[in-house]
Amino acid sequence: MPEKGELQPSVALQTPAGNNVKQHNLKSMTVTSVRPELPLFSSDDEKKTIKINELRRLVENCDDFVRRSDDLFLCRFLNCCDWDVQEAFQRMVKLFKLKHEYPDWFIDRPLVYYKEVLSRNIKFVLDKRDKNGRRIFVTKMCNLDVNVTSPTDLAHLDELWCEFMLNDLETQEKGISCLIDMSGLSIKSLRYLTPTNIRIGSQKTDLLPVKNMEFHVINSSVFLNAAVAILYPMLSKHIKDRVHFHYSDWNSLHEHLGKEALPAAYGGTNGVDFNYDMLIKQLLDLEDHYNSLVRFGCELKPHVDPTKYAKLFQNADKSKTGKKKNKNKKEVELIEE
């Protein structure tokens, strides 16, 4: 469960029957406002409260869409930008724009829709932090089946878990350690490394409101070197500078993360291996919170004429329909093979 500074959802939505939630129909859901009972910061941090309120005013007036503006969400961007309000706002606007340009790369449905992909145990967050107080976000490539998992599925998993990790101030301030286990990686996964996928994925990663994020790659191989040769030149310098390759050297890994949070499978002292059910439950227990987030960036403000964005919503529906057709086509091809 989230630790201190737990996020209080700014709204609570009733989960609709079925999974087909359309962006422009979100206003029909029941919305109940919920406010945090206590301020995030003490009276000694009055300057931070002033900056939070300043950023909130900017966000709430930035466009025609309902935007999330609770204190803890705004603090993600302020912490990331050293409490520079304008820089935090520009980062948020860039993320909003990326979401409108590539909606398939962002979550826009209730959590029940994503439970199946979560159960594949490709990505998850450990229950303990590393020695620097950072959350540890694990990716197990051996659990990735490229025939059933798309690049956008992986993007949705990243977003779901980042929302979970950034639910407290400690993670916002200390950061995230991404542990990427390359063992069992299939050569078929090279199909993911298209210029478009790399570009969008890199842009989304760069805009995440995380001040300190490191990438630790383990169990790599000759095959990985081929993948890196394709991927590395397209990554931003910001990401490149934070990638560490440990291969199978646990001592090297422990120098960065310590042993206490890792299982024995990685030379640690936190159990024998990963307890997937327990780790996934951390996120599933917050279903109401995730369902409350669906409306942001999709629901128009009450005074806005919806016909102004009719084309946008129509394109979003077509995108989802096309995605479903492509998935069905792929399933047919697999059956024929």
Side-chain angles (χ1 to χ4, degrees):
M1 292 292 291
E3 297 156 332
K4 66 177 184 179
E6 179 176 335
L7 176 64
Q8 297 295 324
S10 56
V11 293
L13 298 183
Q14 293 181 349
T15 304
N19 298 330
N20 297 320
V21 179
K22 294 185 179 180
Q23 292 179 328
H24 56 292
N25 287 335
L26 290 171
K27 286 201 292 185
S28 63
M29 296 181 178
T30 301
V31 179
T32 305
S33 297
V34 178
R35 290 286 183 185
E37 295 181 359
L38 298 174
L40 286 177
F41 301 101
S42 66
S43 57
D44 296 334
D45 290 317
E46 183 179 356
K47 289 183 179 179
K48 289 186 176 180
T49 301
I50 292 173
K51 288 180 179 292
I52 290 171
N53 290 330
E54 184 180 345
L55 180 57
R56 179 180 292 110
R57 286 192 293 271
L58 290 173
V59 172
E60 291 180 343
N61 292 290
C62 71
D63 60 17
D64 292 336
F65 290 85
V66 176
R67 297 293 180 184
R68 185 175 171 187
S69 60
D70 57 87
D71 286 8
L72 194 51
F73 177 73
L74 299 178
C75 278
R76 298 178 186 183
F77 293 87
L78 289 167
N79 270 309
C80 179
C81 299
D82 294 322
W83 291 84
D84 184 316
V85 174
Q86 284 298 327
E87 185 180 345
F89 177 61
Q90 291 304 318
R91 193 184 190 94
M92 295 177 77
V93 169
K94 289 178 182 177
L95 191 60
F96 297 159
K97 182 179 178 182
L98 189 69
K99 182 174 181 178
H100 279 301
E101 290 178 349
Y102 305 102
D104 289 346
W105 285 74
F106 291 80
I107 58 174
D108 63 351
R109 303 187 185 192
L111 187 60
V112 64
Y113 179 83
Y114 302 101
K115 285 184 178 180
E116 194 278 327
V117 69
L118 282 165
S119 69
R120 299 174 197 171
N121 303 320
I122 303 167
K123 295 175 179 281
F124 47 89
V125 172
L126 300 192
D127 56 326
K128 296 182 179 180
R129 299 174 183 269
D130 72 11
K131 69 178 188 179
N132 298 309
R134 295 174 179 171
R135 280 288 197 181
I136 302 178
F137 183 31
V138 180
T139 299
K140 290 273 288 182
M141 300 305 294
C142 65
N143 293 335
L144 172 63
D145 183 348
V146 298
N147 292 319
V148 296
T149 305
S150 68
T152 52
D153 286 335
L154 298 180
H156 297 159
L157 287 173
D158 286 337
E159 189 175 352
L160 289 167
W161 281 112
C162 281
E163 173 63 33
F164 171 81
M165 289 184 284
L166 293 173
N167 252 8
D168 67 274
L169 288 175
E170 185 175 0
T171 301
Q172 293 181 18
E173 294 166 356
K174 295 185 177 179
I176 296 172
S177 293
C178 299
L179 179 59
I180 305 172
D181 186 345
M182 304 299 293
S183 61
L185 180 66
S186 168
I187 194 171
K188 291 181 179 180
S189 61
L190 285 175
R191 70 178 68 168
Y192 288 172
L193 302 182
T194 67
T196 299
N197 289 343
I198 295 170
R199 177 174 53 82
I200 300 173
S202 180
Q203 286 180 12
K204 189 175 179 183
T205 301
D206 282 337
L207 291 174
L208 283 175
V210 183
K211 185 174 183 179
N212 300 303
M213 179 180 283
E214 291 189 348
F215 300 85
H216 299 276
V217 183
I218 62 173
N219 292 326
S220 52
S221 62
V222 174
F223 167 66
L224 171 64
N225 294 337
V228 170
I230 299 173
L231 175 63
Y232 210 66
M234 301 184 195
L235 297 178
S236 68
K237 185 178 184 301
H238 177 78
I239 295 177
K240 289 179 183 177
D241 292 343
R242 288 160 176 76
V243 178
H244 306 276
F245 292 91
H246 303 286
Y247 300 96
S248 299
D249 184 348
W250 299 145
N251 289 330
S252 174
L253 179 64
H254 297 159
E255 286 179 9
H256 290 267
L257 305 186
K259 293 183 177 181
E260 290 73 18
L262 301 174
Y266 293 162
T269 59
N270 186 18
V272 177
D273 209 337
F274 300 115
N275 183 341
Y276 292 118
D277 290 341
M278 182 270 290
L279 296 175
I280 298 298
K281 188 176 184 295
Q282 295 178 111
L283 189 151
L284 296 180
D285 283 344
L286 296 175
E287 184 167 7
D288 289 343
H289 166 64
Y290 281 96
N291 291 348
S292 76
L293 305 181
V294 176
R295 65 192 289 249
F296 296 115
C298 300
E299 179 183 330
L300 293 172
K301 293 175 182 176
H303 67 276
V304 178
D305 181 359
T307 60
K308 180 180 178 181
Y309 291 93
K311 186 175 181 179
L312 172 66
F313 293 134
Q314 183 180 17
N315 290 339
D317 288 339
K318 286 181 179 178
S319 175
K320 289 181 181 179
T321 303
K323 186 176 180 182
K324 185 175 181 181
K325 287 181 178 178
N326 289 336
K327 184 177 180 181
N328 292 337
K329 181 180 179 181
K330 183 182 291 185
E331 290 173 349
V332 170
E333 291 173 348
L334 289 173
I335 292 173
E336 291 176 347
E337 290 177 0

